Amino acid sequence: MSAELTHYIDGAHVKGGSGRFSDVMNPATGEVSGRTPLATKAELDDAVARAAEAQKGWGATNPQRRARVMMKFAQLINEHMDELAELVSKEHGKTLPDGRGDVQRGLEVVEVCMGAPHMLKGEYTNDGGPGIDLYSMRQPLGVVAGITPFNFPAMIPLWKMAPALVAGNAMILKPSERCPSTSLRLAELLKEAGLPDGVLQVVNGDKEVVDAILDNETVQAVGFVGSTPIAQYIYGRAANNGKRAQCFGGAKNHMIVMPDADMDKAADALVGAGFGAAGERCMAISVAVPVGEETAEALRERLVPRIEKLRVGPYTSEDEVDYGPVITAAAKERIEKLIGSGVDAGADLVVDGRGFKLQGYEDGFFVGPSYFDHVTPEMEIYKEEIFGPVLSQVRAGSYEEALKITMDNPYGNGCAIFTADGDTARDFAHRVNVGMVGINFPIPVPLSYHTFGGWKKSAFGDLNQYGPDAFRFYTKTKTVTSRWFSGIKEGGEFNFKAMD
Ligand code: NAD
């Protein structure tokens, strides 16, 4: 029997009223584990109206008190770490250590939000002119929305909700309909941490509810994370309706390997970054770009045994596993079809992960690891974000060619270089047109007090996620210029006596 999931409105679980549902799967077994209710426009509008009421008091609460809710929330997340990780793994399929990592990287943003009063302070200039002072304040936007993808069921909702809420906003969170349970549990923990009812509303749904969010006049800002076509669509519609929008999209992350790199370390890094979480990470490295034929051969020689050794299995496995299933049967089918297209296009499929079956889990959505060599930028496997356990190797003749390949790619989320040469590393970091860069570091997700965001087709809108940018995104600045005539002497000179 699959469980009927709920929305979370005004601090309580609420059954969906539309009669429409989307299945939540256990990707390891292929069984339906739950049904996500898909909200209607009317349900969304009602949740927004209630959030707007709740926001009035919350927005007027002093920032330190709001930060205290974040402190308690962080404590509760820590206490419930294993339970949250299991919820993530059950619906997503990732291994338990990876599930814990998902929660941990979200928790780190909550921890930064404990210091929000400092980030929300305004600026002050005294004596900007005779008797003139200026000050600015950061005010909450009101009701904002977060729309999140399936691949980080804890981390990305936390990246959205923590800065938005601590800045004094109310939030409508629309998690992925494939993995909604972690968001629902986080909403319960926030209530326990002291968040007033209605300030966080979890409204589940699909395109219908997303469009309702984009068209609702009360919603002031939309923070989206997902695939590029949807990011572009949401950005356009939100901006057209006068909303602030930041929409993060897909990726095709390259890693350049220079001839002077430590080849074993580069190969280890590529295997972890390419196949971890079954390649379902927006910061996964999906393209290796070795410079020179010798480097390409040396890398290939090291990659093959490492890739063939990868252990694939369910999160419940007693044996150690490196990665789990992909999210749906359709995702598995699409990935295997793309691998076939690579073979048809003439790429060299060195390790073939198609047709992978796991005893006892024959109906799970497992895909074995695949590794292509001699991929070229015209091939579909290069152009498409595969979002699966597939690594492509594109050989480059020189550093300049490797840099050009990386820069010509339409995506610009992350990239990396492995080298022993500081000049090359510095040149790469300065010239590459990608938002997050790793030097001898394969997945350069910045720490929670920096910011996260891609360039080119990987992000639409302005400002990054978390860190100082998040506080800017979720507040509007008001600047006051004031003049007090007692401070001005006739003739415009400053009257110091008036200060006595
Ligand atoms: P997705 O675009 O299918 O879905 C994301 C969200 O949009 C979900 O909440 C979904 O319900 C909603 N949605 C889907 N179709 C819609 C439509 N037609 N209209 C309106 N809303 C719609 O993405 P996904 O498959 O859940 O996640 C994987 C994608 O997310 C990958 O492309 C990955 O690279 C990307 N991603 C990007 C980042 C980043 O920070 N750049 C981080 C994580 C994931």
Side-chain angles (χ1 to χ4, degrees):
M1 257 291 279
S2 60
E4 188 171 321
L5 300 170
T6 58
H7 307 295
Y8 194 82
I9 308 292
D10 289 358
H13 289 275
V14 173
K15 278 180 86 157
S18 70
R20 289 201 309 127
F21 294 90
S22 172
D23 286 343
V24 178
M25 312 295 292
N26 177 341
T29 61
E31 284 160 7
V32 176
S33 65
R35 299 202 308 156
T36 308
L38 305 175
T40 60
K41 177 170 164 41
E43 286 174 299
L44 181 273
D45 288 343
D46 179 60
V48 172
R50 292 166 184 274
E53 269 312 302
Q55 191 274 334
K56 288 180 192 157
W58 177 245
T61 302
N62 88 52
Q64 197 145 12
R65 279 178 185 243
R66 296 197 303 251
R68 243 172 251 150
V69 172
M70 291 297 140
M71 284 182 211
K72 180 78 183 155
F73 187 36
Q75 184 196 330
L76 289 169
I77 292 173
N78 263 313
E79 283 169 20
H80 293 270
M81 177 63 81
D82 288 344
E83 176 202 340
L84 289 165
E86 181 148 11
L87 272 182
V88 167
S89 296
K90 193 173 159 209
E91 292 184 351
H92 176 282
K94 59 179 78 176
T95 65
L96 275 177
D98 229 6
R100 242 174 252 122
D102 193 325
V103 181
Q104 177 63 31
R105 293 310 292 254
L107 171 61
E108 285 163 16
V109 169
V110 179
E111 286 168 348
V112 168
C113 289
M114 296 175 184
H118 174 63
M119 300 303 300
L120 296 169
K121 278 189 320 216
E123 293 171 333
Y124 192 90
T125 295
N126 61 314
D127 294 340
I132 294 174
D133 305 316
L134 286 89
Y135 61 95
S136 64
M137 51 183 124
R138 294 195 169 278
Q139 296 188 325
L141 301 176
V143 181
V144 300
I147 301 167
T148 58
F150 80 84
N151 69 322
F152 280 100
M155 180 183 86
I156 297 182
L158 286 167
W159 286 6
K160 297 289 164 213
M161 63 171 89
L165 298 177
V166 82
N169 301 287
M171 171 165 266
I172 304 292
L173 177 67
K174 206 299 285 171
S176 169
E177 60 276 37
R178 296 175 206 157
C179 306
S181 296
T182 315
S183 290
L184 291 166
R185 185 70 185 114
L186 288 169
E188 289 176 346
L189 294 180
L190 261 173
K191 180 182 167 98
E192 199 180 329
L195 189 77
D197 292 348
V199 175
L200 176 71
Q201 313 275 54
V202 182
V203 184
N204 283 303
D206 57 2
K207 180 171 167 54
E208 184 174 335
V209 82
V210 171
D211 286 346
I213 290 170
L214 299 175
D215 294 342
N216 185 297
E217 285 185 6
T218 303
V219 174
Q220 298 298 306
V222 177
F224 171 86
V225 181
S227 58
T228 288
I230 310 297
Q232 194 159 8
Y233 163 72
I234 287 180
Y235 177 66
R237 190 152 168 172
N240 207 31
N241 286 337
K243 299 187 196 314
R244 195 176 277 201
Q246 52 172 206
C247 301
F248 299 94
K252 195 85 185 174
N253 304 316
H254 293 50
M255 181 171 130
I256 296 179
V257 182
M258 295 299 292
D260 61 4
D262 180 322
M263 283 306 146
D264 286 309
K265 288 203 166 68
D268 286 341
L270 275 169
V271 171
F275 298 96
E280 289 177 327
R281 289 181 181 142
C282 68
M283 289 296 274
I285 295 284
S286 49
V287 184
V289 192
V291 171
E293 290 300 310
E294 251 179 63
T295 313
E297 290 302 328
L299 197 59
R300 178 171 168 156
E301 197 177 283
R302 286 164 176 78
L303 281 172
V304 173
R306 285 167 166 83
I307 293 171
E308 284 175 341
K309 246 194 265 158
L310 285 169
R311 295 150 305 181
V312 184
Y315 77 93
T316 46
S317 170
E318 296 205 339
D319 304 323
E320 227 177 278
V321 293
D322 294 301
Y323 72 83
V326 297
I327 187 72
T328 55
K332 176 179 160 82
E333 197 183 317
R334 176 181 167 272
I335 293 163
E336 295 198 342
K337 212 165 142 206
L338 275 163
I339 297 171
S341 88
V343 175
D344 294 344
D348 179 7
L349 182 57
V350 188
V351 183
D352 185 355
R354 290 173 295 178
F356 181 92
K357 285 273 176 228
L358 194 65
Q359 211 184 354
Y361 293 88
E362 286 78 5
D363 295 328
F365 314 136
F366 294 96
V367 181
S370 292
Y371 169 46
F372 276 110
D373 196 1
H374 296 287
V375 173
T376 58
E378 309 73 52
M379 294 178 183
E380 206 187 347
I381 46 163
Y382 177 79
K383 288 195 224 158
E384 283 285 317
E385 181 189 33
I386 301 177
F387 223 55
V390 182
L391 180 68
S392 296
Q393 178 157 299
V394 179
R395 296 180 175 218
S398 64
Y399 164 67
E400 285 299 330
E401 192 189 332
L403 180 64
K404 184 170 180 334
I405 290 167
T406 308
M407 291 181 63
D408 285 350
N409 191 278
Y411 293 106
N413 216 36
C415 65
I417 188 165
F418 269 62
T419 180
D421 183 65
D423 277 339
T424 311
R426 184 175 187 278
D427 182 79
F428 179 70
H430 283 244
R431 283 167 68 197
V432 75
N433 56 359
V434 169
M436 292 171 279
V437 181
I439 296 173
N440 296 321
F441 207 92
I443 305 193
V445 175
L447 292 172
S448 52
Y449 41 92
H450 287 259
T451 70
F452 181 107
W455 289 14
K456 300 188 278 182
K457 293 263 182 218
S458 294
F460 303 85
D462 200 5
L463 297 171
N464 281 352
Q465 307 191 77
Y466 64 73
D469 274 14
F471 298 107
R472 293 192 188 106
F473 183 75
Y474 289 115
T475 55
K476 50 195 173 198
T477 305
K478 185 182 283 173
T479 308
V480 179
T481 304
S482 72
R483 178 164 59 183
W484 291 101
F485 296 102
S486 58
I488 309 172
K489 215 167 73 175
E490 225 173 295
E493 288 301 305
F494 193 78
N495 181 356
F496 289 98
K497 283 219 167 101
M499 302 293 285
D500 292 343

